[in-house]
């Protein structure tokens, strides 16, 4: 998950956040890390560029993007299913 | 109907890696420093505590930073609906448009796409300071002090605004020039007109 945190920080240009400061289960949006809808789109781009994963059902977004752990689980599940 | 008279109560000029307020040099970075580093240095010096700054394009960063300098120690105390924003530049959002176009060849960047309009800089300034008044963005080869004073003066005359941030926010690649004015219905001896706009920015 450390690598994923670093990728998120870089992709989202979070210059005042260190990857290790992001909790595994910390909510990424709203009151958590404070990400917004454009950040969500950038994470979609990240998944596509870094992992070759496309999100087939946009309605899953809030669940997948809840925290670094949920994103990591989604990546793992998708790669296992390949 | 008001007579449209207003006053220049402040100015901020950002050019040649220097930041001036009311004609006084406040901060400067080495001349050889490139724009992204200069902007980061300016943010650290004048503001901080606003992480969204780092996501902005150079046009928004420059306009945002100049407004920050202009209002930091003396905020505009008017109803949000009475503060206007009227800006102009030469290159519109072309600086960001080209970088966005580069990403389209691979996967289009949503973060860049949202800045492919020149008036987004006014949105960023408005979010920061809570402005909700009249706004307009003009594109022209050079700063037209006559147009700026006439347009903003008319807004004052119609009592659409009681204060305004107006001026020039140009950036294209490494080349930039920013000058913003703080205009209010009262509070200064410098009358808001085209001649005084030109005099104020001749640094």
């Amino acid at each position: 998950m450390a690598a994923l945190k670093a990728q998120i920080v870089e992709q989202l240009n979070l210059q005042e956040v260190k990857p290790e400061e992001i909790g595994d289960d910390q909510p990424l949006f709203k009151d958590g890390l404070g990400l917004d809808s454009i950040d969500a789109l950038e994470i979609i781009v990240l998944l596509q560029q870094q992992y070759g994963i496309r999100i087939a059902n946009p309605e899953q977004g809030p669940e997948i993007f809840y925290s670094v752990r949920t994103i990591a689980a989604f990546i793992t599940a998708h790669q296992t299913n390949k | 109907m008001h007579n449209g008279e207003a006053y220049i109560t402040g100015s901020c000029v950002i050019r040649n890696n220097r930041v001036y307020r009311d004609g006084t040099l406040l901060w400067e970075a080495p001349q050889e420093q490139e724009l992204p580093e200069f902007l980061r240095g300016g943010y650290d010096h004048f503001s901080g505590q606003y992480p969204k700054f780092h996501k902005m394009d150079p046009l928004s960063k420059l306009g945002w930073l100049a407004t920050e300098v202009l209002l930091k120690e003396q905020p505009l105390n008017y109803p949000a609906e009475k503060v206007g924003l009227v800006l102009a530049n030469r290159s519109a959002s072309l600086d960001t448009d080209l970088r966005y176009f580069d990403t389209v060849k691979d996967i289009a960047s949503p973060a860049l796409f949202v800045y492919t309009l020149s008036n987004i800089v006014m949105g960023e300034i408005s979010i920061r300071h809570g402005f909700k008044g009249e706004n307009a963005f003009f594109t022209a080869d050079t700063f037209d002090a006559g147009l700026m004073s006439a347009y903003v003066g008319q807004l004052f005359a119609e009592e659409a605004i009681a204060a305004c941030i107006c001026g020039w926010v140009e950036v294209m690649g490494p080349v930039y020039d920013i000058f913003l004015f703080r205009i209010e219905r009262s509070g200064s001896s410098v009358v808001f007109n085209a001649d005084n706009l030109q005099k104020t920015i001749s640094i």
Side-chain angles (χ1 to χ4, degrees), chain A residues 11-17 34-39 41-42 44-46 48-49, chain B residues 40 43-44 48-52 54-56 61 106-112 114:
Chain A
Q11 183 82 22
L12 273 50
N13 200 13
L14 303 175
Q15 292 192 19
E16 295 181 30
V17 177
L35 303 186
D36 60 22
S37 57
I38 301 302
D39 295 318
L41 292 172
E42 285 291 339
I44 291 172
V45 171
L46 186 157
Q48 199 169 329
Q49 282 179 327
Chain B
R40 177 60 199 252
Y43 165 80
D44 288 339
Q49 306 294 314
Y50 199 80
K52 192 169 187 289
H54 307 299
K55 301 188 179 204
M56 297 178 197
K61 284 181 176 176
D106 181 19
I107 298 175
S109 165
L112 278 176
V114 294

Side-chain angles (χ1 to χ4, degrees), chain B residues 68-119:
Chain B
E68 201 71 6
V69 172
L70 207 47
L71 303 182
K72 188 178 182 185
E73 290 167 13
Q74 203 180 347
L76 286 169
N77 292 315
Y78 297 90
E81 294 77 13
K82 288 292 185 182
V83 180
L85 265 173
V86 183
L87 303 180
N89 77 0
R90 179 188 306 122
S91 303
S93 59
L94 187 59
D95 179 62
T96 296
D97 296 347
L98 293 174
R99 273 182 287 116
Y100 173 68
F101 182 68
D102 279 342
T103 73
V104 172
K105 295 163 190 167
D106 181 19
I107 298 175
S109 165
L112 278 176
F113 175 72
V114 294
Y115 288 99
T116 56
L117 275 175
S118 51
N119 58 354

Side-chain angles (χ1 to χ4, degrees), chain A residues 17-49:
Chain A
V17 177
K18 291 177 182 165
E20 60 271 23
E21 292 173 349
I22 304 174
D24 295 350
D25 298 302
Q26 178 183 1
L28 296 177
F29 293 84
K30 297 181 181 173
D31 294 336
L33 196 57
L35 303 186
D36 60 22
S37 57
I38 301 302
D39 295 318
L41 292 172
E42 285 291 339
I43 295 175
I44 291 172
V45 171
L46 186 157
L47 292 179
Q48 199 169 329
Q49 282 179 327

Side-chain angles (χ1 to χ4, degrees), chain B residues 27-189:
Chain B
W27 180 76
E28 66 180 319
Q31 289 299 295
E32 66 276 13
Q33 193 170 76
E34 294 189 355
L35 182 56
E37 288 69 42
F38 169 71
L39 285 167
R40 177 60 199 252
Y43 165 80
D44 288 339
H45 184 81
F46 290 105
S47 179
Q49 306 294 314
Y50 199 80
K52 192 169 187 289
F53 177 85
H54 307 299
K55 301 188 179 204
M56 297 178 197
D57 71 342
L59 178 63
S60 290
K61 284 181 176 176
L62 284 160
W64 188 96
L65 183 61
T67 309
E68 201 71 6
V69 172
L70 207 47
L71 303 182
K72 188 178 182 185
E73 290 167 13
Q74 203 180 347
L76 286 169
N77 292 315
Y78 297 90
E81 294 77 13
K82 288 292 185 182
V83 180
L85 265 173
V86 183
L87 303 180
N89 77 0
R90 179 188 306 122
S91 303
S93 59
L94 187 59
D95 179 62
T96 296
D97 296 347
L98 293 174
R99 273 182 287 116
Y100 173 68
F101 182 68
D102 279 342
T103 73
V104 172
K105 295 163 190 167
D106 181 19
I107 298 175
S109 165
L112 278 176
F113 175 72
V114 294
Y115 288 99
T116 56
L117 275 175
S118 51
N119 58 354
I120 299 301
V121 57
M122 298 196 296
E124 295 291 6
I125 293 169
S126 296
I127 290 168
R128 171 63 161 167
H129 298 283
F131 301 157
K132 295 179 181 175
E134 291 283 333
N135 65 73
F137 196 105
F138 297 101
T139 299
D141 280 342
T142 57
F143 179 64
D144 186 338
L147 171 71
M148 188 61 72
S149 62
Y151 187 88
V152 174
Q154 183 62 26
L155 293 177
F156 274 102
E158 293 173 359
E159 300 187 24
I161 57 174
C164 187
I165 301 296
C166 68
W168 182 256
V169 284
E170 165 63 16
V171 59
M172 187 65 215
V175 181
Y176 66 91
D177 192 25
I178 312 297
F179 42 89
L180 294 188
F181 307 96
R182 171 192 176 114
I183 314 296
E184 296 176 79
R185 182 163 288 168
S186 60
S188 161
S189 59

Side-chain angles (χ1 to χ4, degrees), chain A residues 27-80:
Chain A
L28 296 177
F29 293 84
K30 297 181 181 173
D31 294 336
L33 196 57
L35 303 186
D36 60 22
S37 57
I38 301 302
D39 295 318
L41 292 172
E42 285 291 339
I43 295 175
I44 291 172
V45 171
L46 186 157
L47 292 179
Q48 199 169 329
Q49 282 179 327
Q50 300 290 329
Y51 300 96
I53 297 172
R54 288 174 183 268
I55 295 177
N57 181 5
E59 290 181 6
Q60 287 183 291
E63 187 184 331
I64 297 168
F65 296 151
Y66 180 77
S67 67
V68 173
R69 189 185 299 280
T70 58
I71 297 174
F74 177 76
I75 293 169
T76 303
H78 189 91
Q79 291 181 326
T80 304

